[in-house]
Amino acid sequence: MERPADRLVCFPHSGGSVATYRAWSSAMPAHSQLLAVQYPGHADRIAEDPASSIAEMATCVATELQRLDPAPCALFGHSLGALVAYETARELQERGTPVDCLFVSGAPAPWPAAGGSTHLLPDDELWSLLRDMGGIDPDVADDVELRELLLPVLRSDIALHETYRPKRPDGSLSSRVRGYFNTEDPLVDAAGLEAWAESGTGPFSVRAFPGGHFRFLSDPDELISDILSVLAESEVVG
């Protein structure tokens, strides 16, 4: 496409891939570019070793984004993706190309809420937990071969999430930050989202939707509509 007026870069959850956001493209305005990040070790990058840290992932993404034609940029991430998006926003800010908007979904702010031991669960327990939360497609939940293929990637992603220890925010992030959580999500609540207000000096807001942690996979329309409305407001202000 021609140089876009703006771009939205999406970051998948643990075990997710760019396919998560394929359906979003039809909702994007013609002048906007939708990109999604494929983590190493996932989907068509399955032969690669997984990233060793969220900071490593963010550095790689920031480098790739800076190779593109300049355009106002927004980042969206769900769960693990929210942390990678945040770290990417910090990296881009340090390089002198701050993003306009950072959308964080399904993840409490990491500085007061770091930790967790889910990645240490036995295979059966980990798979069952993810299936019960809606993170495993019911059509493939009983596929033993697929489980053996996906579990190492899922465990690695969850370990990255739970062992992430970012620096306390220093007020340098200037991006607008919009947080999302679902009212039946056991992993994040309003207080966890409100803590994202500490991430920088830009405007901050939160919106809640009904449903569980993975509702955005089955019914993303409301979320997409809200993201686009925030981006449109930013364009008017800009």
Side-chain angles (χ1 to χ4, degrees), residues 7-226:
R7 62 171 54 97
L8 174 64
V9 184
C10 296
F11 296 73
H13 56 284
S14 293
S17 71
V18 298
T20 301
Y21 299 105
R22 190 165 292 139
W24 291 36
S25 59
S26 61
M28 297 298 293
H31 64 268
S32 299
Q33 181 182 41
L34 177 70
L35 300 176
V37 175
Q38 192 82 288
Y39 304 143
H42 295 63
D44 61 343
R45 300 184 67 185
I46 196 167
E48 300 177 38
D49 292 333
S52 60
S53 70
I54 285 176
E56 175 190 324
M57 297 163 80
T59 298
C60 292
V61 175
T63 298
E64 291 300 319
L65 289 176
Q66 290 195 307
R67 290 173 176 159
L68 302 176
D69 289 335
C73 185
L75 310 181
F76 169 86
H78 181 77
S79 199
L80 169 67
L83 306 186
V84 186
Y86 166 69
E87 197 68 34
T88 302
R90 283 179 56 89
E91 179 70 19
L92 288 169
Q93 180 93 33
E94 290 177 4
R95 298 185 187 195
T97 53
V99 301
D100 288 358
C101 297
L102 171 64
F103 299 98
V104 290
S105 170
W111 33 95
S117 57
T118 301
H119 66 285
L120 300 175
L121 290 174
D123 286 354
D124 288 345
E125 290 184 38
L126 180 58
W127 189 254
S128 295
L129 175 65
L130 294 171
R131 181 189 59 204
D132 294 344
M133 289 181 60
I136 305 295
D137 190 329
D139 293 335
V140 303
D142 296 325
D143 187 322
V144 176
E145 291 185 4
L146 189 60
R147 190 186 88 155
E148 295 305 308
L149 182 66
L150 292 179
L151 262 175
V153 176
L154 285 163
R155 189 181 298 281
S156 175
D157 284 355
I158 295 170
L160 287 181
H161 192 149
E162 294 184 334
T163 59
Y164 177 52
R165 299 291 186 273
K167 297 177 181 178
R168 291 290 303 187
D170 57 9
S172 62
L173 191 66
S174 61
S175 311
R176 178 174 183 171
V177 179
R178 175 80 154 169
Y180 301 103
F181 75 100
N182 295 92
T183 54
E184 298 167 46
D185 186 346
L187 302 181
V188 60
D189 57 15
L193 257 293
E194 289 289 349
W196 280 106
E198 301 175 35
S199 59
T201 58
F204 173 76
S205 58
V206 170
R207 175 146 184 206
F209 294 111
H213 187 67
F214 288 107
R215 180 180 183 267
F216 88 108
L217 291 176
S218 60
D219 188 10
D221 292 349
E222 247 185 330
L223 174 61
I224 296 171
S225 177
D226 189 85

